[in-house]
Amino acid sequence: MITFALIGNQNCGKTTLYNQLTGGNQHVGNFPGVTVERKEGMIRKQKDIVVVDLPGIYSLSPYTKEEIVTREFLIKEHPEGIINIIDATNIERNLYLSLQLIQFNIPMVIALNMMDEVSANGGTIDIRKLEDSLGVPVIPIAAVRNQGIEKLISTALETVVNRNTPKQQNFYTGLCAQTYSEITTILTKADRKDKKAAFHAIKLMENDGRVKEEITITKDLGEAIEKRIRTMENTLLTDRKAAVADMRYRFLDSLCSEAVVRPGESIHKRRSLRIDNVLANRYIGIPVFILIMLSVFWLTFGVIGSFLSNLLAGGIQVLTDFLRDILVRAGIKDILVSLVTDGILAGVGSVLSFVPTIVILFFFLALLEDSGYMARVAFIMDKLLGNIGLSGRSFVPMIIGFGCSVPAVMATRTLPSDRDRKMTIFLIPFMSCSAKLPIYGVFTMAFFPNHRALVMISLYLFGLLMGIVSTLFYKKYIFKGEAERFVMELPNYRIPGAKSVLLMLWDKTRDFLTRAFTVIFLASILIWFLQKFTWNLEPSVAGSQSMLADIGHLLTPLFKPLGFEDWRISTALLTGFMAKEAVISTLGVLSGEGVKHLPAALHQLLSPASAYSFLIFTLIYSPCVAAVSIIRRELNTISAIWIMLYQTLFAWVCAWMVYGAIRLLIA
């Protein structure tokens, strides 16, 4: 088995190349930070050749989770080869990472991506000069057009099979280069088995704490190394990290001046700058974004989505009635007929009817992301988020949180500051994930049929507002300090690709369907069982005598101040902890009504005021078990428990205040 590590900067086409190499269908975003954890697949037409797609990074300094993931992979898992992908249109900055990878002394090949754009805009790159100067093979490719991929694969395999490690050379000049050379010599003499002496030397010059822990040298040698570094700092009148960075860029500037004729400004770049004059304008950028999102919600919830969801709900109801009739005619026992129709179909069907709404919402979000607009939104939100103590980069996980909290929490790994990362994770539960859409859809259909889009928008905005309030609280009392400065490379605008949009839609729909036929399926059966039987496991004559009713009655006093006095509402909220869609599937089972008639049945349980209070509570209260689990993994158990308790208490207070305010207005 041969393993290649696929490494490059963010937004350099790494996921596109991964898909070309493996025949995979990973989502490719026009957005930095699409890959936040490693993915691996077999290279096409090759036996036992694996490529591991690692998060996009700019250096191997362990500042962010992504950089740590990539660095740990290289150090601990010892891949046989490295495929370093570079954006040829921005070659100097991309080669900064290459210089660090070369020092790992692992067989390596550079994939010079986007060479088609360089050529189209009058640029040229002397490939032979690059290869001679860097000591590694360089293969020009255009990943999106599948050009140069076969040559890249054959060269990478040849490099690994022949164990052609990068030519170790001192790329640099001056005192910094002399210090680097001396430290490398000291480390090599101290441990002749150290194959990464060059990497360790440069990292010691950067005062890398992890490398200091990894290597074992005597105290005298350590002091000798430190003495040389201090001499360098005092002579150059700069700190060690700045000296190393300056040394690398001096070499790259010299190399690129000889080997690269930079391309002119492309038509895509000029077009993007003209569009940014409007969409990223400092005065109208945010109002334009709000208008765009209002339009998306109006189309999703008020025009197209509701029509299609109603149509699907009607179809599921027809199927339920048809199956009930077939089972009764076949002489199946009543209890089994009830399990299939009142339990499984009522529960799962009530959730499935919202698939069209989810597909339409993510269709629009996919268009915005793939066009490159979402990267601009993160940019224009930077100042606004900075006022509440967050970085503009936090906006990326927040947007992902509208789909699902689990990938959103994982996306916080792109944040370089641990403080910003924790604050963003604490903020994500306030985003309305797609699992809550069925709840919003059923309740707005039941209680606010003429103002569905308006109520939906109010919920999203309320969640954002309460998230801001909580963030200010966290900033003042827990996460003190200022957010890191926001740096993001803005991609050019482009026409969204059909494949990319469809892949994203499929990912979201598949997740939703998977949960519907696993978690919701089992929850529906469990709820049906608890509702149909007493504690003595005898069929309950009435639902109010069942095990579930007893559990619900215990919780009812807690929710009475919020306007929920029926035990079925309390029970639905309890099951929502497993998965938010379970709230609707539970109500579908407990109401005893079919999918199509569930909204009408809710009128017997709630008033419009208490229904809106219920929506506010479900918007904010504890994340589902999957989200809590990932929060625990990314932070710790105490943080996960804190978020569960804080969100639930905060939701209770918000719902209580909203319910009271509505009652005062009505009175």
Side-chain angles (χ1 to χ4, degrees), residues 94-108:
N94 281 245
L95 283 173
Y96 188 86
L97 173 64
S98 305
L99 292 184
Q100 299 172 68
L101 294 174
I102 286 171
Q103 289 168 330
F104 265 95
N105 205 30
I106 296 174
M108 172 174 156

Side-chain angles (χ1 to χ4, degrees), residues 55-71:
I57 57 173
Y58 293 100
S59 79
L60 290 172
S61 300
Y63 294 135
T64 69
K65 288 280 184 181
E66 301 156 298
E67 290 167 350
I68 292 173
V69 167
T70 301
R71 180 168 146 151

Side-chain angles (χ1 to χ4, degrees), residues 134-400:
L134 297 172
V136 296
V138 178
I139 308 299
I141 66 168
V144 74
R145 300 175 187 272
N146 198 25
Q147 294 175 354
I149 305 302
E150 294 301 325
K151 173 71 173 173
L152 173 65
I153 293 173
S154 61
T155 305
L157 285 175
E158 183 182 332
T159 304
V160 167
V161 171
N162 296 328
R163 290 296 303 165
N164 293 332
T165 55
K167 181 182 175 184
Q168 292 300 312
Q169 53 188 318
N170 194 337
F171 296 114
Y172 317 115
T173 58
L175 180 58
C176 202
Q178 179 185 333
T179 307
Y180 165 67
S181 179
E182 290 173 355
I183 296 175
T184 305
T185 303
I186 291 174
L187 293 176
T188 304
K189 288 182 178 178
D191 181 5
R192 296 193 179 278
K193 295 181 180 178
D194 185 2
K195 303 294 183 185
K196 300 184 181 66
F199 172 74
H200 290 154
I202 205 75
K203 286 301 168 187
L204 286 177
M205 290 177 68
E206 292 179 308
N207 202 27
D208 187 306
R210 288 177 179 248
V211 164
K212 286 183 176 179
E213 295 174 1
E214 289 169 8
I215 62 174
T216 52
I217 55 175
T218 64
K219 184 179 178 182
D220 290 343
L221 287 181
E223 289 176 352
I225 290 172
E226 184 61 24
K227 183 179 178 182
R228 283 167 170 76
I229 295 173
R230 285 181 181 171
T231 300
M232 177 193 73
E233 287 181 308
N234 293 333
T235 305
L236 297 178
L237 299 178
T238 185
D239 68 82
R240 56 192 71 192
K241 291 182 180 177
V244 172
D246 181 67
M247 180 175 68
R248 288 182 179 134
Y249 275 118
R250 280 176 185 272
F251 169 76
L252 292 176
D253 183 58
S254 172
L255 173 60
C256 291
S257 65
E258 296 177 8
V260 179
V261 175
R262 290 182 171 79
E265 193 173 67
S266 69
I267 186 172
H268 305 292
K269 184 68 176 179
R270 292 196 295 273
R271 183 177 59 198
S272 295
L273 290 174
R274 286 198 297 271
I275 296 174
D276 278 343
N277 287 333
V278 177
L279 297 185
N281 184 280
R282 61 185 300 186
Y283 300 110
I284 65 172
I286 292 178
V288 168
F289 171 65
I290 293 173
L291 282 176
I292 290 174
M293 293 310 296
L294 289 178
S295 302
V296 168
F297 289 148
W298 178 68
L299 289 169
T300 301
F301 305 122
V303 180
I304 309 172
S306 59
F307 169 74
L308 294 176
S309 288
N310 289 340
L311 201 64
L312 185 57
I316 294 172
Q317 186 63 53
V318 170
L319 175 65
T320 303
D321 294 339
F322 176 73
L323 277 177
R324 188 193 304 274
D325 186 53
I326 293 290
L327 293 173
V328 169
R329 287 173 182 272
I332 304 297
K333 289 184 177 180
D334 290 346
I335 194 71
L336 291 178
V337 175
S338 175
L339 171 62
V340 173
T341 57
D342 301 332
I344 297 172
L345 286 176
V348 177
S350 59
V351 173
L352 286 182
S353 63
F354 286 91
V355 168
T357 304
I358 288 171
V359 170
I360 291 167
L361 176 61
F362 281 102
F363 170 74
F364 288 121
L365 292 181
L367 291 181
L368 294 175
E369 180 189 321
D370 210 47
S371 66
Y373 177 61
M374 281 304 186
R376 270 74 182 179
V377 177
F379 170 71
I380 60 178
M381 284 289 181
D382 183 45
K383 187 175 181 180
L384 193 64
L385 291 175
N387 291 332
I388 61 172
L390 284 172
S391 162
R393 207 175 179 90
S394 300
F395 187 73
V396 178
M398 288 167 61
I399 285 291
I400 296 174

Side-chain angles (χ1 to χ4, degrees), residues 11 15 27-37 39 369 414:
N11 223 33
T15 305
H27 168 58
V28 180
N30 192 14
F31 203 78
V34 170
T35 307
V36 294
E37 61 177 358
K39 302 181 182 73
E369 180 189 321
T414 59

